[in-house]
Each structure stands twice: as structure tokens, then as C-alpha cells.
Amino acid sequence: MTRKIEVIAPQKRWSEQFEQEQDRLEKVFNKQILAIHHIGSTAIKNSKAKPVIDMLMVVKDIQVIDSYNQEMIKIDYECLEENGILGRRFFSKGGDNRSHHLHVFQEEHPEIQRHLLFRDFMNSHSEEVLAYSQLKLELAQKFPYDIESYVAGKDAFIKKIDQKAKSWYGKMK
């Protein structure tokens, strides 16, 4: 079954859903975790988003994470290995009705800062949130069953925000 891409209004429960899942993950990964962050559009104030909670987990040793795959399966996650990003472990929960994505990186991986800067920049720039929300709505209407085209359609905007976020962060230091 191909799942339909839906972009919905911001939901108060997104932060609660993150916190509940964070507790579950802390029980599974225990001493490996250095930090767990809520990222992606559900972590951005007033952002429309697909109702999937993105989480970024920073760990001591990425190689050890594979040994937790069976425990992750028990709590309804699918283990998707690197899934296109070198040095990442990616887990998806909910199958076709996905509810959570977990991106796992070893400390110091450059994707950690990129994701956090994007989130923090967007939370400080409401005009960019409006533009991004509108773009996601348009892409979801244009490509309702084509996730690759939906993701590709966001790419230039995300790269532009990544550059603005780096500059913004540099000025704050």
C-alpha cells in the first residue's frame, strides 16, 4: 500500500508524543545515549507538517546501535540501517501509518548540528516557517503518493535555510 502524504496544522500533542517516545528509547538504549532531540517540522512552532515525530539520538558508538535492532523491533520499529546517510542508523515506527522516525548519529557527526540549527533557526524565524509550511502543502497536493518527489521538492528550500541557519548561528556566537 502506498501511503498518502498529508501535511496538517500544528498539533500540541507533538511535543508530548516526542517525550513519550523519548522515555521508551531511553529504556532501550540506556547508557549509549548522550542526547535525544525533537527535530523536523513537528519540532517547529506553528509549522504545518506530516504527522511524523522526527527524533535525533546522539550516541557514543554508532556500531553498537545495530545490536539493539531486535529490541527496537519489539517496540514496533523497522530497522532501516543507514538509509541514505553515511554513519546514520535510521528507524521508522508505524509501517504505512508511520508515527515516528529515529535518526541515530555518533557524537560529532555533522548532521547533528545541521538538524539542530535548522530547527532552532526556524523557531526564531516565523516568516520562514510560513514559507516552508506553504511549500509542504503545495508539494503534498502535487505529489500525494510520491514521497521521493515531495522530498526532492523541499531540497532547495532546506539547503537555503541550512545556509541561513549557519550564518545566523555564527552571528550569535
Side-chain angles (χ1 to χ4, degrees):
M1 180 181 139
T2 306
R3 63 191 163 94
K4 185 174 185 191
I5 299 164
E6 291 186 271
V7 174
I8 65 171
Q11 307 289 309
K12 287 184 170 63
R13 69 175 189 268
W14 286 341
S15 60
E16 294 165 17
Q17 289 173 315
F18 164 73
E19 289 168 10
Q20 290 168 351
E21 206 61 24
Q22 179 181 18
D23 289 344
R24 285 186 192 99
L25 294 170
E26 286 170 348
K27 288 176 182 137
V28 170
F29 290 100
N30 203 337
K31 294 181 174 79
Q32 277 303 313
I33 300 172
L34 297 173
I36 301 177
H37 303 279
H38 187 184
I39 61 167
S41 294
T42 61
I44 298 170
K45 289 183 306 238
N46 301 316
S47 179
K48 293 180 177 158
K50 293 186 308 184
V52 177
I53 308 300
D54 278 291
M55 302 168 293
L56 186 150
M57 188 167 76
V58 182
V59 298
K60 298 172 188 173
D61 183 356
I62 197 68
Q63 300 304 320
V64 175
I65 299 308
D66 296 332
S67 67
Y68 291 90
N69 286 354
Q70 287 306 312
E71 290 179 64
M72 290 297 282
I73 290 167
K74 287 178 188 170
I75 61 168
D76 301 322
Y77 278 89
E78 183 180 357
C79 309
L80 298 167
E81 300 174 350
E82 289 183 328
N83 202 39
I85 298 179
L86 197 61
R88 170 177 77 169
R89 295 300 180 273
F90 183 71
F91 299 88
S92 177
K93 184 174 188 172
D96 285 336
N97 295 311
R98 90 184 36 155
S99 61
H100 296 78
H101 289 156
L102 176 63
H103 309 257
V104 183
F105 293 102
Q106 185 168 308
E107 60 185 327
E108 306 299 320
H109 194 290
E111 284 291 307
I112 298 168
Q113 183 180 32
R114 187 186 74 75
H115 281 288
L116 297 178
L117 278 179
F118 183 92
R119 178 200 65 196
D120 295 349
F121 176 84
M122 293 296 276
N123 274 322
S124 295
H125 295 84
S126 59
E127 72 285 355
E128 299 288 7
V129 174
L130 287 172
Y132 192 37
S133 291
Q134 187 59 41
L135 174 63
K136 290 182 289 185
L137 283 170
E138 290 169 9
L139 290 169
Q141 287 175 340
K142 188 174 181 180
F143 305 111
Y145 295 98
D146 182 356
I147 191 67
E148 288 81 16
S149 295
Y150 173 84
V151 170
K154 297 189 310 178
D155 190 60
F157 184 91
I158 290 170
K159 285 180 176 160
K160 182 180 82 175
I161 294 299
D162 284 343
Q163 290 305 311
K164 287 182 177 184
K166 278 184 195 173
S167 174
W168 171 75
Y169 181 72
K171 290 175 187 169
M172 288 178 28
K173 281 183 156 182

